[in-house]
Amino acid sequence: MTGPKAVFRVSRVLVALSASYALAWSTGYASAEEAGAAAPWSEMSLEQKVEVLREASIELDPESGTVNNVGVLFTDTNTLWTCIAAFLVFFMQAGFAMVEAGFTRAKNACNILMKNLMDFSLGSLTFWLVGFGLMFGATTTGWFGTTNFLYTADSNFNWAFLLFQTVFCATAATIVSGAMAERTKFSSYLLYTLAITVIVYPIFGSWAWGSLLDGDGWLERLGFADFAGSTVVHSIGGWAALAGALVLGPRLGKYSGNRVTPIPGHNIPLAALGVFILWLGWFGFNPGSTTAVGTGEFAYIAVTTNLAAAAASVAAMACSWIKFKKPDTSFALNGALAGLVAITAGCNVLSPASAVLTGLAAGVIVVFACVFFDRVRIDDPVGAISVHGVCGAWGTLAVGLFANDSGLLTTGSFSQLGIQTVGVLAAFLWSFPVSLGVFLAIKYTVGLRVGPEEELEGLDISEHGIYAYPPSFVAGTPAPGGAWPNGVGASPLPAVEPG
């Protein structure tokens, strides 16, 4: 072994040795003897240096010179990586808030920010109290966990795992907010946030991901593959959003006769900022789901994630350009999110080319799905059902088509596609009816929707007693031709005739 490669490998070994020795001294050894060392590093024999390495639980591959992913040093590194990924996913809450606020009217901005804030705040508490145990507790049935309530971790890594799963739970809850924007009672929305973080998300999560800790879900026993949550997180949230939008009904003025009336968003640049924040956050969402530095697989996952998002954005722009004669900004933005959602299930098992195909399809699907829901008069102000529910399902099925070692188009086997279909159907048949029941129960007890006067006035002032902007900006009226100069108008959709 000579030349630059040899020097590089030797350097890596020396770095590993130095790090191991430093770690041995910094993690509680009272003396050199306890660290396997009887003398300073420079005076140690080779055997003593190897002992230091062993005590720090670091191993080297004798052929490649690489450090294996074992031991204290790498456990701490994995803990750090999982926390950093969780911080990135947490920042996605800001992205969701900006997207939703930008695509809706100025008079409801504070309400939207409050819902996103409470999704995470309430969700963090209830998921730790109950949801985490239902999702990752021990089970004999494969349906839900029965331990790990009020979770106390037995290792630093498991604390990081709790944090990472908490931010995932908050993401599922936040999806619902967009589809129910501009007409939902704030107090009633909080009740549903409790339901999704305690029941809807954790129980389905236990079916698909329970074995990541102490569980053993029936879907994962079948071989269901959803690496980072196209279905577990996004479709579960999307189908819950569909239930909420159906029970709530459309915003006032959205549908008139046979015509769909656009209600424009008040701040598309704000929505664009939100999309870029979400795109950044997804580099924690998908690569972070490795929860380990390992062999560097997270880099590959980051590439497939990015390719799918880029392809979907281009496809949505082109599709809207063809369909509506203009390259619509809001569709291109939602296209990027659709691609990110779709690749989340298979980001670790799809080739870069397959990731691009998955993204291209998602970009087209999201445009037609948004139009479809408007045609059937399901009012979704931000396109959450289409982006998360529909494209989440598509991305999960794409694993069955394109997975490198099990996809129909790569191996000729239908097996994985069949399993993926079972998972997609199970998610819908769980999330939609349970959420529908919750929303109906809220509607017929404490009420789900604000009154017409409150809706027209705006939820900022009627629900929270505060405006996000100066009142003169919020209280605009339509200008000639139907334009809304003062941000009181949003829908990412042009007017379409129901068909």
Side-chain angles (χ1 to χ4, degrees):
M1 181 174 68
T2 60
K5 289 186 177 179
V7 173
F8 177 64
R9 288 178 179 174
V10 170
S11 298
R12 281 162 53 174
V13 172
L14 291 176
V15 169
L17 286 168
S18 301
S20 302
Y21 187 63
L23 181 69
W25 283 96
S26 65
T27 52
Y29 290 110
S31 67
E33 287 75 16
E34 292 182 26
W41 181 262
S42 61
E43 299 177 12
M44 287 185 203
S45 66
L46 178 61
E47 290 77 12
Q48 288 172 321
K49 291 177 180 178
V50 170
E51 182 64 14
V52 169
L53 200 62
R54 187 191 67 79
E55 289 294 333
S57 300
I58 300 297
E59 294 180 2
L60 297 178
D61 188 305
E63 294 184 1
S64 67
T66 58
V67 181
N68 289 332
N69 182 22
V70 295
V72 176
L73 178 61
F74 273 90
T75 298
D76 287 349
T77 303
N78 293 339
T79 301
L80 175 62
W81 166 237
T82 302
C83 283
I84 290 172
F87 303 155
L88 284 169
V89 178
F90 166 74
F91 192 46
M92 290 173 69
Q93 291 295 123
F96 281 118
M98 298 302 96
V99 168
E100 188 180 339
F103 277 157
T104 53
R105 290 172 286 187
K107 63 184 180 180
N108 299 306
C110 286
N111 177 256
I112 285 162
L113 298 178
M114 282 291 289
K115 288 194 296 181
N116 280 268
L117 176 63
M118 288 301 108
D119 279 333
F120 186 80
S121 300
L122 277 177
S124 293
L125 296 171
T126 56
F127 189 68
W128 169 71
L129 286 167
V130 179
F132 188 83
L134 289 174
M135 190 165 176
F136 295 110
T139 177
T140 57
T141 63
W143 290 99
F144 55 86
T146 57
T147 61
N148 293 335
F149 302 111
L150 284 78
Y151 184 61
T152 300
D154 57 4
S155 69
N156 285 330
F157 177 79
N158 282 347
W159 285 123
F161 183 75
L162 169 65
L163 181 64
F164 190 69
Q165 294 301 328
T166 297
V167 294
F168 268 49
C169 178
T171 299
T174 297
I175 291 166
V176 182
S177 172
M180 300 178 65
E182 304 199 288
R183 66 236 197 246
T184 307
K185 283 184 176 180
F186 181 66
S187 58
S188 300
Y189 182 80
L190 295 181
L191 293 176
Y192 179 73
T193 295
L194 296 176
I196 193 171
T197 55
V198 171
I199 300 171
V200 181
Y201 172 75
I203 290 181
F204 184 84
S206 74
W207 301 351
W209 287 351
S211 65
L212 292 177
L213 195 61
D214 297 329
D216 182 24
W218 67 270
L219 261 180
E220 54 186 339
R221 292 176 192 169
L222 294 178
F224 178 67
D226 186 1
F227 181 72
S230 287
T231 283
V232 175
V233 178
H234 295 282
S235 280
I236 288 295
W239 302 141
L242 174 61
L246 280 171
V247 174
L248 264 181
R251 290 168 291 173
L252 297 175
K254 176 66 176 176
Y255 305 111
S256 177
N258 293 324
R259 188 172 180 80
V260 177
T261 304
I263 304 177
H266 85 278
N267 196 330
I268 298 303
L270 186 67
L273 175 62
V275 169
F276 283 117
I277 290 173
L278 288 169
W279 199 326
L280 172 64
W282 239 282
F283 291 126
F285 204 98
N286 287 0
S289 291
T290 60
T291 64
V293 174
T295 58
E297 184 186 20
F298 62 87
Y300 178 85
I301 292 171
V303 170
T304 57
T305 297
N306 188 63
L307 287 173
S313 184
V314 171
M317 177 198 69
C319 187
S320 67
W321 203 338
I322 293 169
K323 187 170 179 60
F324 305 116
K325 313 305 179 187
K326 296 287 184 181
D328 187 276
T329 304
S330 55
F331 271 126
L333 293 171
N334 261 344
L337 298 182
L340 290 164
V341 168
I343 194 60
T344 295
C347 54
N348 65 324
V349 295
L350 268 60
S351 69
S354 295
V356 170
L357 290 175
T358 300
L360 288 172
V364 175
I365 288 169
V366 74
V367 173
F368 284 96
C370 285
V371 173
F372 167 78
F373 285 116
D374 247 359
R375 290 188 185 278
V376 297
R377 298 183 173 236
I378 297 175
D379 185 14
D380 179 359
V382 304
I385 302 167
S386 302
V387 169
H388 299 278
V390 176
C391 290
W394 154 242
T396 307
L397 295 175
V399 175
L401 293 173
F402 301 129
N404 294 327
D405 58 356
S406 59
L408 173 62
L409 301 180
T410 54
T411 66
S413 171
F414 282 91
S415 176
Q416 190 66 49
L417 181 59
I419 295 170
Q420 298 301 102
T421 303
V422 170
V424 167
L425 292 174
F428 180 82
L429 293 174
W430 167 253
S431 180
F432 179 76
V434 172
S435 298
L436 187 69
V438 171
F439 283 124
L440 287 171
I442 295 172
K443 178 179 179 179
Y444 291 113
T445 52
V446 298
L448 185 62
R449 182 167 182 154
V450 299
E453 291 184 1
E454 295 170 301
E455 183 175 345
L456 291 172
E457 185 180 28
L459 303 189
D460 285 2
I461 197 66
S462 64
E463 289 277 279
H464 307 286
I466 187 173
Y467 284 121
Y469 305 98
S472 59
F473 178 81
V474 175
T477 56
W484 292 85
N486 294 322
V488 190
S491 168
L493 297 174
V496 294
E497 298 292 339

